[in-house]
Amino acid sequence: MPMPHGLCTALFKHLPDAVFLIDPDSAHILDCNDAALTHLGRQRSEVLGQSVLSLQTGVAGPDQWRSMSQAIRASDNFVHLGEHRHPSGSSVPVQLHISHFVHDGREYFLSTTRNISQRQALERDLHSRDAQLRYALNEASDGLWDWNLLTNEVYFSPQLARMLGYGPHEIKATLETWLSKVHPEDSLWVNRAKQEHIDGQRSRFNAEYRLRNRSGHYLWVHDRGRICERDANGQPARMIGMVHNITDKKTIELTLQAMASHDTLTGLHNRRECDLLLGRQVDLCHRLEIPLGLCFLDIDNFKSVNDDFGHAVGDKVLRRVAQTIAGEVRSTDDLSRCGGEEFLLLCTDTPEPDLLHLAEKLRSKIAAINWDDIAGLPALTCSFGVAVFPDHADTAESLFIAAESALTRAKGLGRNRVESASALMSTPIGFQRFKASSPADLD
């Protein structure tokens, strides 16, 4: 059902935005609603018949109006930002939406005009607040970044540049600049965490990683960011974040972690970590159906070294023996100090013949260590016990017992030798025969 003419007139009259009916050729105002008169601060007689050129600043004359008219006809909704002159002498900022239509064979322009003074004031206020917020964030952190996802340009705050040893304008404002400074070992997961936030899988970007400074050293940083702006299609367009330098905190944290899992004297894994590694390696080799070699070694007569030369010399002996062994094994092998003068070596995918060959090589290397820097210290030797999963045992505990028993046998047969758990398996009472005495008892 068509809308009654009276209702159409009432709607036109009471619209909150100013509406002007304009002659496209002459630019004269043919009609307007009450909001337009209020907006202009004029009477109807002062407006009707006037050219919009006399009211609109920035439209210089007929030539520019003709150019605008062509653009209006070519668009379904022509948008223009301008200013209307007010009788007080001031100008009112406006946003115009102009459409064109034909009625009874005559063409008209319909301009809906909105006063955007308040909006512009709000934008200026927001801009000011944004600057204040940026300053506050800069002062509350070691650096601030602002990433335009559409252009890949990144704003780096002066504080952030200074943290990395650069001047305020030395860092190129691109994402690649930042990514090139992330430690290679951290780069993959940092990028993944960033992308997961962009894809909506994380509520925010939150990462601790290493960042290279100007001198080439790496700083530990805590980086937090979040998408703060989206485009018309709802896609992420802008992301901001803060960076804190946590190098001191991280150094303490890593030191404490190392103390919990490593022997402070030799730098090797300690007994606690060794037990965990042994269990994991047995499980891994069981799944992969490959052998795991375990070599348990003990420095012969080490008690006499401490007694005759002191514990400082004893510590030096332990470090040098550890360094000698570490220099002969593969990077995939794991060497631990189990306590005192005992060491345990795990060799993944190593059958018994290869393990025996390695143990014999280590025995010879240790026996050949030059101790000339410690006056009076005689040549030192080690005894070795080896066992292989699954040939000699099928659990971590039983594999350790097998190697320990083989070591006890080596000690009992005169020291400075390598013994395999295979020799024990042929005896009537097996491993338990050599469990009556520990390697320490046979020092």
Side-chain angles (χ1 to χ4, degrees), residues 426-441:
S426 62
T427 64
I429 56 176
F431 299 140
Q432 295 304 315
R433 175 183 177 183
F434 291 94
K435 285 296 291 175
S437 300
S438 69
D441 295 332

Side-chain angles (χ1 to χ4, degrees), residues 225-275:
R226 196 167 190 174
I227 293 167
C228 64
E229 192 174 298
R230 296 180 180 273
D231 63 17
N233 297 318
Q235 297 302 309
R238 182 184 174 198
M239 185 172 169
I240 61 172
M242 293 189 300
V243 177
H244 288 270
N245 184 345
I246 59 169
T247 302
D248 292 342
K249 171 192 167 188
K250 200 69 179 181
T251 300
I252 295 173
E253 179 183 321
L254 293 174
T255 300
L256 292 174
Q257 288 178 359
M259 289 174 63
S261 60
H262 287 73
D263 171 50
T264 55
L265 177 64
T266 62
L268 303 177
H269 286 127
N270 57 23
R271 177 60 184 267
R272 174 181 173 277
E273 191 68 13
C274 173
D275 290 341

Side-chain angles (χ1 to χ4, degrees), residues 260-319:
S261 60
H262 287 73
D263 171 50
T264 55
L265 177 64
T266 62
L268 303 177
H269 286 127
N270 57 23
R271 177 60 184 267
R272 174 181 173 277
E273 191 68 13
C274 173
D275 290 341
L276 296 174
L277 287 170
L278 177 58
R280 288 197 291 263
Q281 289 298 89
V282 167
D283 290 342
L284 174 65
C285 292
H286 177 72
R287 289 198 304 272
L288 298 179
E289 298 183 347
I290 58 176
L292 172 65
L294 188 154
C295 183
F296 195 17
L297 60 140
D298 178 275
I299 301 176
D300 296 325
N301 303 308
F302 183 73
K303 184 176 183 298
S304 64
V305 174
N306 281 331
D307 291 343
D308 297 341
F309 295 89
H311 287 279
V313 171
D315 290 347
K316 190 172 184 178
V317 168
L318 289 170
R319 284 194 294 266

Side-chain angles (χ1 to χ4, degrees), residues 6-61:
L7 181 57
C8 291
T9 302
L11 287 174
F12 177 72
K13 181 178 180 180
H14 291 96
L15 281 173
D17 290 330
V19 181
F20 299 89
L21 188 64
I22 304 169
D23 184 336
D25 296 325
S26 65
H28 288 166
I29 299 173
L30 303 177
D31 199 0
C32 66
N33 64 353
D34 291 347
L37 300 176
T38 303
H39 168 78
L40 294 173
R42 301 172 187 269
Q43 300 296 319
R44 183 172 295 272
S45 59
E46 298 177 285
V47 174
L48 299 186
Q50 295 294 317
S51 170
V52 293
L53 303 181
S54 64
L55 302 176
Q56 176 74 40
T57 64
V59 182

Side-chain angles (χ1 to χ4, degrees), residues 164-166 181 183-184 211-219:
L164 297 178
Y166 294 93
K181 298 183 181 302
H183 194 288
L211 204 59
R212 191 179 70 252
N213 65 10
R214 187 171 202 157
S215 65
H217 296 106
Y218 282 94
L219 307 175

